[in-house]
Amino acid sequence: MEWALFIVISICIISGMILFRNKTIPDVNQPLEKSENVSVIIPARNEEKNLPKLLKSLMEQTLLPSEIIVVDDQSEDGTREVAERYPVKVLSLSSLPEGWTGKNWVLWNGYLQSKGEIFVFLDADIRLKPNALELLIHERKRQGGVIS
């Protein structure tokens, strides 16, 4: 049951990030705490062309995540090698347990290896404005919890 809830939340967050990147959020007049512990988890299968653009946009954020985890889901291209050129943690998965779908298994494993208190799930083919993570965290505070 715990993993089912995680899957639903993951899908909502990914969808929200895609919609969120072009929106502005009102100032909440609260400074970000320096102790914010944000983990970005990126599922990636055959994303060697897209991954550098997303990772570059993450490195240019006004609020840098405390960790970025790229979960290589049996890629047949240079996805892993590309990810290893950046200061990220790279996980490789080789088998899919019965009852799991690929992307959900990848997200779950990224979550299990993360150390953050706040989780941001991003697809490899998106780009972020330089203040996207900061705006996302402010909106999370404003809403009082999970956002999508």
Side-chain angles (χ1 to χ4, degrees), residues 90-148:
V90 183
L91 306 176
S92 290
L93 301 180
S94 58
S95 61
L96 181 66
E98 186 176 328
W100 283 86
T101 59
K103 189 167 189 178
N104 294 333
W105 178 244
V106 171
L107 292 171
W108 178 245
N109 278 275
Y111 164 77
L112 290 176
Q113 295 296 313
S114 65
K115 296 179 178 128
E117 297 169 10
I118 298 172
F119 306 98
V120 178
F121 299 91
L122 299 174
D123 284 340
D125 61 351
I126 69 166
R127 310 300 166 262
L128 300 173
K129 290 181 179 181
N131 62 344
L133 287 180
E134 184 176 356
L135 292 172
L136 180 63
I137 300 307
H138 274 303
E139 181 63 9
R140 178 183 174 273
K141 283 183 180 184
R142 192 174 74 80
Q143 294 292 333
V146 175
I147 62 169
S148 171

Side-chain angles (χ1 to χ4, degrees), residues 1-144:
M1 185 63 175
E2 182 177 276
W3 64 268
L5 178 60
F6 173 78
I7 292 168
V8 170
I9 292 171
S10 299
I11 292 169
C12 291
I13 291 172
I14 291 167
S15 301
M17 284 301 298
I18 292 168
L19 295 172
F20 181 83
R21 68 180 177 188
N22 291 322
K23 304 229 186 264
T24 57
I25 295 174
D27 180 17
V28 292
N29 297 319
Q30 292 182 15
L32 288 171
E33 297 173 17
K34 292 189 186 271
S35 63
E36 296 279 20
N37 198 358
V38 178
S39 293
V40 173
I41 301 169
I42 305 165
R45 177 182 285 171
N46 298 328
E47 295 287 358
E48 73 177 335
K49 289 185 173 52
N50 288 318
L51 201 52
K53 296 169 189 164
L54 172 57
L55 293 176
K56 182 178 183 295
S57 74
L58 282 167
M59 301 299 145
E60 296 171 346
Q61 290 298 298
T62 55
L63 172 68
L64 293 173
S66 57
E67 68 179 345
I68 300 169
I69 300 173
V70 175
V71 187
D72 180 17
D73 184 19
Q74 303 179 33
S75 293
E76 297 173 351
D77 65 0
T79 296
R80 181 177 183 82
E81 292 77 16
V82 167
E84 288 174 339
R85 293 183 202 141
Y86 293 84
V88 303
K89 182 177 190 177
V90 183
L91 306 176
S92 290
L93 301 180
S94 58
S95 61
L96 181 66
E98 186 176 328
W100 283 86
T101 59
K103 189 167 189 178
N104 294 333
W105 178 244
V106 171
L107 292 171
W108 178 245
N109 278 275
Y111 164 77
L112 290 176
Q113 295 296 313
S114 65
K115 296 179 178 128
E117 297 169 10
I118 298 172
F119 306 98
V120 178
F121 299 91
L122 299 174
D123 284 340
D125 61 351
I126 69 166
R127 310 300 166 262
L128 300 173
K129 290 181 179 181
N131 62 344
L133 287 180
E134 184 176 356
L135 292 172
L136 180 63
I137 300 307
H138 274 303
E139 181 63 9
R140 178 183 174 273
K141 283 183 180 184
R142 192 174 74 80
Q143 294 292 333

